[in-house]
Amino acid sequence: MSSRRLITASERSKLDPFIVATGDASPRDQRDLMERPFFSLAKSRRTAPIHYEAAGVRVEVYAVPEHGMATIWDADVLIWAASQIVEAENLGFKTSRFLRFTPYQLLTAIGRQTGARDYKLLKGALARLQSTVIRTTIRNGEHWRRHQFSWINEWEECTTRDGHVEGMEFVLPDWFYRGVIDRSLVLAIDPAYFRLTGGIERWLYRVARKHAGRQPKGWLFEIAHLHEKSGSLVRVSDFALQIRRIAARQPLPGYRLRIEWQGRRELLRILPAHLSTIPVDGAVETLGTSHANGIGISHAALSGLRTHEPQLTLWPETAIQGLNLESNSESNSCSWRARSADNQVPPSQTSDRSAQQSSLPFDRKPGGKR
């Protein structure tokens, strides 16, 4: 008996589209993504998985060699999507996991240029977001232990006959969407975040926003614990050096960084400062330390994060590609004219040097044009 491939309908055929009518929305981030290692912090391609476990929560992130792991710059797409959904919900509009928008709206909202190269880099980001596989126990239900998904279920670009991109669509995973429409799981962030060029400083801002908030005494972390939370492949000593350099430059909008010592333990204190652009809402915690131990600093068990060699232990690479990757010309291109009826709806290791490279799409060189 010959095997036959099961053909399933696109999710978009079952969902009402949420048409993004404007790019104006205060940037908002999803809390679960702000404090755990879901993304590569390097601009070089990463295929080594992330294995992180702390306080009974487990996060596993896997990449395919063709695209590499989704980066913290790619996560700007998710921040933009969350911002649009929250803004629409605040205005009383119906939203959905199926977003329809123009690339211009997305790129301008996150501070990028809108030339042909930028559109190409955006498609590279969408490919990584779709091919990256996440397994986590965060927000698991009473009878469900582990959730597995990709950051984007499917995406498509709509073009004119001459190849000009006029629109895009993608479907977000239910896990992410539920974490956005729950207001307690979303925090506003400073728009200046998009101007941060380094992966570690971007990640550090999200940690600061999540943990320190507006608390006068801020939040205190042990550097070794921060290294574990980041999922970075660099050595702890190199990570500590980068944190010191960031603290010397003070680039984080709304926060000041201060290196402290308790014996041989190197600590980072994150303190709220005057916001550089617009206010962000809400204090976030009632205590001043993270996973506080006897001396009042953040701490995690040594077994909390295990970084493995570049391999995929979840399943064979071909299985991941077949189930999660639809970023080819057949599935991600269409004729805009053919979709006109739809429009009737109302509106690996890194270092300081490698961290400055721009070898991955949807990225830019520090200090370069956006």
Side-chain angles (χ1 to χ4, degrees):
M1 180 182 295
S2 62
S3 61
R4 299 181 61 184
R5 181 179 178 182
L6 179 64
I7 300 177
T8 58
S10 166
E11 277 194 278
R12 288 171 295 174
S13 65
K14 304 174 184 178
L15 296 170
D16 293 328
F18 166 41
I19 300 177
V20 178
T22 177
D24 296 331
S26 299
R28 293 174 173 88
D29 208 346
Q30 209 282 323
R31 292 172 69 119
D32 294 321
L33 275 60
M34 299 172 77
E35 63 171 326
R36 298 181 179 95
F38 281 105
F39 302 96
S40 170
L41 306 185
K43 294 181 180 179
S44 56
R45 180 174 303 188
R46 173 171 178 166
T47 57
I50 294 173
H51 290 175
Y52 173 81
E53 187 171 3
V57 170
R58 185 167 180 82
V59 171
E60 301 174 15
V61 186
Y62 298 89
V64 294
E66 180 181 357
H67 298 287
M69 185 178 295
T71 72
I72 199 165
W73 294 272
D74 300 337
D76 288 357
V77 173
L78 301 178
I79 293 175
W80 174 83
S83 307
Q84 295 298 326
I85 291 170
V86 171
E87 185 73 13
E89 293 271 348
N90 287 343
L91 295 174
F93 296 119
K94 183 179 178 181
T95 62
S96 138
R97 295 188 293 118
F98 173 18
L99 275 71
R100 180 176 293 162
F101 59 96
T102 67
Y104 180 86
Q105 291 172 317
L106 191 160
L107 291 170
T108 55
I110 61 176
R112 308 294 173 90
Q113 296 286 350
T114 57
R117 178 178 179 273
D118 302 280
Y119 284 73
K120 181 179 179 181
L121 299 184
L122 172 58
K123 289 187 283 186
L126 295 176
R128 282 190 297 278
L129 289 167
Q130 186 181 19
S131 61
T132 298
V133 177
I134 301 94
R135 297 176 71 183
T136 183
T137 58
I138 298 173
R139 290 189 269 125
N140 57 304
E142 180 181 357
H143 303 291
W144 296 96
R145 175 69 179 161
R146 183 175 298 172
H147 203 107
Q148 180 170 303
F149 57 92
S150 294
W151 294 121
I152 290 178
N153 290 0
E154 58 177 291
W155 66 276
E156 188 169 19
E157 61 176 346
C158 295
T159 64
T160 59
R161 293 188 182 276
D162 60 1
H164 180 68
V165 178
E166 291 199 346
M168 277 188 170
E169 303 172 345
F170 60 61
V171 178
L172 296 167
D174 183 65
W175 184 90
F176 178 78
Y177 181 71
R178 285 187 286 110
V180 170
I181 60 177
D182 184 342
R183 304 301 176 84
S184 67
L185 298 178
V186 177
L187 288 174
I189 62 173
D190 197 308
Y193 165 80
F194 296 117
R195 295 198 293 269
L196 296 176
T197 57
I200 291 180
E201 64 188 38
R202 276 175 159 248
W203 172 81
L204 197 57
Y205 171 82
R206 300 172 88 183
V207 170
R209 178 66 187 101
K210 168 64 174 63
H211 289 285
R214 293 178 178 174
Q215 298 174 99
K217 294 183 180 180
W219 203 268
L220 191 64
F221 283 101
E222 184 176 3
I223 296 294
H225 176 48
L226 279 176
H227 178 260
E228 293 173 350
K229 286 174 67 70
S230 73
S232 174
L233 289 175
V234 302
R235 296 177 302 177
V236 176
S237 58
D238 292 333
F239 181 86
L241 177 60
Q242 293 185 50
I243 293 294
R244 291 184 211 116
R245 289 174 174 174
I246 292 172
R249 291 189 291 108
Q250 297 292 340
L252 302 192
Y255 294 96
R256 291 184 293 110
L257 306 176
R258 188 169 71 204
I259 300 294
E260 299 180 4
W261 291 86
Q262 288 189 358
R264 293 187 176 183
R265 295 177 182 263
E266 185 176 11
L267 314 174
L268 177 70
R269 185 177 296 277
I270 303 174
L271 296 162
H274 295 296
L275 300 178
S276 65
T277 52
I278 63 172
V280 291
D281 53 0
V284 294
E285 304 283 355
T286 57
L287 299 176
T289 58
S290 175
H291 303 292
N293 61 11
I295 63 171
I297 61 173
S298 60
H299 182 71
L302 293 178
S303 61
L305 174 65
R306 298 179 180 87
T307 302
H308 295 260
E309 293 301 317
Q311 59 182 350
L312 294 176
T313 57
L314 182 59
W315 49 45
E317 295 170 5
T318 54
I320 292 181
Q321 271 191 298
L323 291 175
N324 296 283
L325 184 62
E326 298 178 13
S327 55
N328 53 64
S329 57
E330 288 77 20
S331 65
N332 292 325
S333 296
C334 71
S335 169
W336 189 251
R337 292 179 181 272
R339 302 296 292 271
S340 60
D342 294 339
N343 296 332
Q344 301 304 314
V345 182
S348 133
Q349 295 187 356
T350 182
S351 62
D352 291 335
R353 181 178 61 183
S354 63
Q356 293 177 353
Q357 294 175 347
S358 184
S359 58
L360 273 182
F362 207 52
D363 204 353
R364 59 182 182 273
K365 295 181 180 179
K369 293 183 179 180
R370 298 194 320 275

Short mmCIF file of all heavy atoms in Angstrom, two decimals, residues 2 8 16 61 111 129 146 183 195 216 220 227 261 277 296 327 337 362:
data_model
loop_
_atom_site.label_atom_id
_atom_site.label_comp_id
_atom_site.label_asym_id
_atom_site.label_seq_id
_atom_site.Cartn_x
_atom_site.Cartn_y
_atom_site.Cartn_z
N SER A 2 0.66 2.13 -0.93
CA SER A 2 1.49 3.34 -1.01
C SER A 2 1.04 4.35 0.02
O SER A 2 -0.14 4.50 0.29
CB SER A 2 1.38 3.94 -2.41
OG SER A 2 0.05 4.32 -2.68
N THR A 8 -3.87 19.15 4.64
CA THR A 8 -4.76 19.90 5.51
C THR A 8 -4.94 21.31 5.00
O THR A 8 -4.07 21.87 4.33
CB THR A 8 -4.20 19.95 6.95
OG1 THR A 8 -2.90 20.56 6.91
CG2 THR A 8 -4.08 18.55 7.53
N ASP A 16 -10.84 34.51 10.81
CA ASP A 16 -11.15 35.82 10.25
C ASP A 16 -9.89 36.68 10.30
O ASP A 16 -9.21 36.72 11.32
CB ASP A 16 -12.26 36.50 11.05
CG ASP A 16 -13.59 35.79 10.92
OD1 ASP A 16 -13.84 35.21 9.85
OD2 ASP A 16 -14.36 35.78 11.90
N VAL A 61 14.42 25.41 22.79
CA VAL A 61 14.33 26.09 21.49
C VAL A 61 15.25 25.36 20.52
O VAL A 61 16.42 25.14 20.82
CB VAL A 61 14.73 27.57 21.60
CG1 VAL A 61 14.48 28.28 20.27
CG2 VAL A 61 13.95 28.27 22.72
N GLY A 111 11.29 50.84 13.30
CA GLY A 111 12.46 51.66 13.03
C GLY A 111 13.37 51.16 11.94
O GLY A 111 14.56 51.45 11.96
N LEU A 129 11.46 32.74 12.13
CA LEU A 129 10.41 32.65 13.13
C LEU A 129 9.54 31.41 12.91
O LEU A 129 9.07 30.79 13.86
CB LEU A 129 9.54 33.91 13.09
CG LEU A 129 10.20 35.19 13.61
CD1 LEU A 129 9.38 36.41 13.23
CD2 LEU A 129 10.38 35.14 15.13
N ARG A 146 3.14 20.04 28.29
CA ARG A 146 4.13 20.74 27.47
C ARG A 146 3.49 21.21 26.17
O ARG A 146 2.69 20.51 25.58
CB ARG A 146 5.30 19.79 27.16
CG ARG A 146 6.43 20.42 26.38
CD ARG A 146 7.57 19.44 26.24
NE ARG A 146 8.11 19.08 27.54
CZ ARG A 146 9.02 18.13 27.74
NH1 ARG A 146 9.47 17.42 26.72
NH2 ARG A 146 9.48 17.86 28.94
N ARG A 183 -4.23 40.79 29.38
CA ARG A 183 -3.53 42.06 29.65
C ARG A 183 -2.49 41.94 30.76
O ARG A 183 -1.52 42.71 30.77
CB ARG A 183 -4.55 43.14 30.02
CG ARG A 183 -5.63 43.35 28.99
CD ARG A 183 -5.04 43.73 27.64
NE ARG A 183 -6.07 43.83 26.63
CZ ARG A 183 -6.82 44.92 26.42
NH1 ARG A 183 -6.63 45.99 27.16
NH2 ARG A 183 -7.73 44.92 25.48
N ARG A 195 16.10 50.98 18.91
CA ARG A 195 17.37 51.57 18.50
C ARG A 195 18.58 50.87 19.13
O ARG A 195 19.71 51.19 18.79
CB ARG A 195 17.39 53.06 18.84
CG ARG A 195 16.34 53.88 18.07
CD ARG A 195 16.67 55.36 18.08
NE ARG A 195 16.57 55.95 19.40
CZ ARG A 195 15.46 56.50 19.89
NH1 ARG A 195 14.35 56.51 19.17
NH2 ARG A 195 15.45 57.04 21.09
N PRO A 216 11.88 51.81 43.06
CA PRO A 216 12.99 52.73 43.38
C PRO A 216 14.32 52.02 43.61
O PRO A 216 15.37 52.53 43.24
CB PRO A 216 12.50 53.42 44.67
CG PRO A 216 11.01 53.34 44.59
CD PRO A 216 10.72 52.03 43.93
N LEU A 220 18.29 43.28 41.59
CA LEU A 220 19.68 42.85 41.70
C LEU A 220 19.84 41.44 41.15
O LEU A 220 19.11 40.53 41.54
CB LEU A 220 20.12 42.89 43.17
CG LEU A 220 21.62 42.74 43.46
CD1 LEU A 220 22.41 43.89 42.86
CD2 LEU A 220 21.85 42.66 44.97
N HIS A 227 23.63 35.16 32.93
CA HIS A 227 24.17 34.37 31.83
C HIS A 227 23.28 33.16 31.56
O HIS A 227 22.98 32.83 30.40
CB HIS A 227 25.60 33.95 32.14
CG HIS A 227 26.23 33.10 31.09
ND1 HIS A 227 26.31 31.73 31.19
CD2 HIS A 227 26.80 33.42 29.88
CE1 HIS A 227 26.90 31.23 30.11
NE2 HIS A 227 27.21 32.24 29.30
N TRP A 261 29.66 44.24 43.95
CA TRP A 261 30.35 43.00 44.33
C TRP A 261 29.94 42.62 45.74
O TRP A 261 29.80 43.47 46.62
CB TRP A 261 31.87 43.17 44.28
CG TRP A 261 32.41 43.33 42.88
CD1 TRP A 261 32.51 44.49 42.17
CD2 TRP A 261 32.90 42.30 42.04
NE1 TRP A 261 33.03 44.25 40.92
CE2 TRP A 261 33.29 42.89 40.82
CE3 TRP A 261 33.07 40.92 42.20
CZ2 TRP A 261 33.83 42.15 39.77
CZ3 TRP A 261 33.61 40.18 41.16
CH2 TRP A 261 33.98 40.80 39.95
N THR A 277 11.82 58.48 26.30
CA THR A 277 10.82 58.86 25.28
C THR A 277 9.46 59.04 25.91
O THR A 277 9.10 60.13 26.32
CB THR A 277 10.77 57.80 24.17
OG1 THR A 277 10.59 56.50 24.76
CG2 THR A 277 12.05 57.77 23.37
N GLY A 296 20.39 37.57 49.33
CA GLY A 296 19.54 38.55 48.68
C GLY A 296 19.87 38.88 47.25
O GLY A 296 19.67 40.00 46.82
N SER A 327 8.24 28.27 4.06
CA SER A 327 8.76 29.52 3.53
C SER A 327 9.37 29.32 2.15
O SER A 327 10.51 29.66 1.91
CB SER A 327 9.80 30.09 4.50
OG SER A 327 10.79 29.13 4.74
N ARG A 337 -3.93 40.51 -7.11
CA ARG A 337 -5.20 40.61 -7.81
C ARG A 337 -6.10 39.41 -7.49
O ARG A 337 -7.29 39.53 -7.34
CB ARG A 337 -4.97 40.70 -9.32
CG ARG A 337 -4.30 41.99 -9.76
CD ARG A 337 -4.08 41.99 -11.25
NE ARG A 337 -3.42 43.22 -11.69
CZ ARG A 337 -4.08 44.33 -12.01
NH1 ARG A 337 -5.39 44.35 -11.94
NH2 ARG A 337 -3.42 45.40 -12.39
N PHE A 362 17.56 40.61 8.34
CA PHE A 362 16.70 41.40 9.24
C PHE A 362 17.50 41.97 10.37
O PHE A 362 17.04 42.08 11.50
CB PHE A 362 15.56 40.54 9.77
CG PHE A 362 14.34 41.36 10.13
CD1 PHE A 362 13.81 42.24 9.21
CD2 PHE A 362 13.76 41.25 11.37
CE1 PHE A 362 12.69 42.99 9.53
CE2 PHE A 362 12.64 42.00 11.71
CZ PHE A 362 12.10 42.87 10.78
#
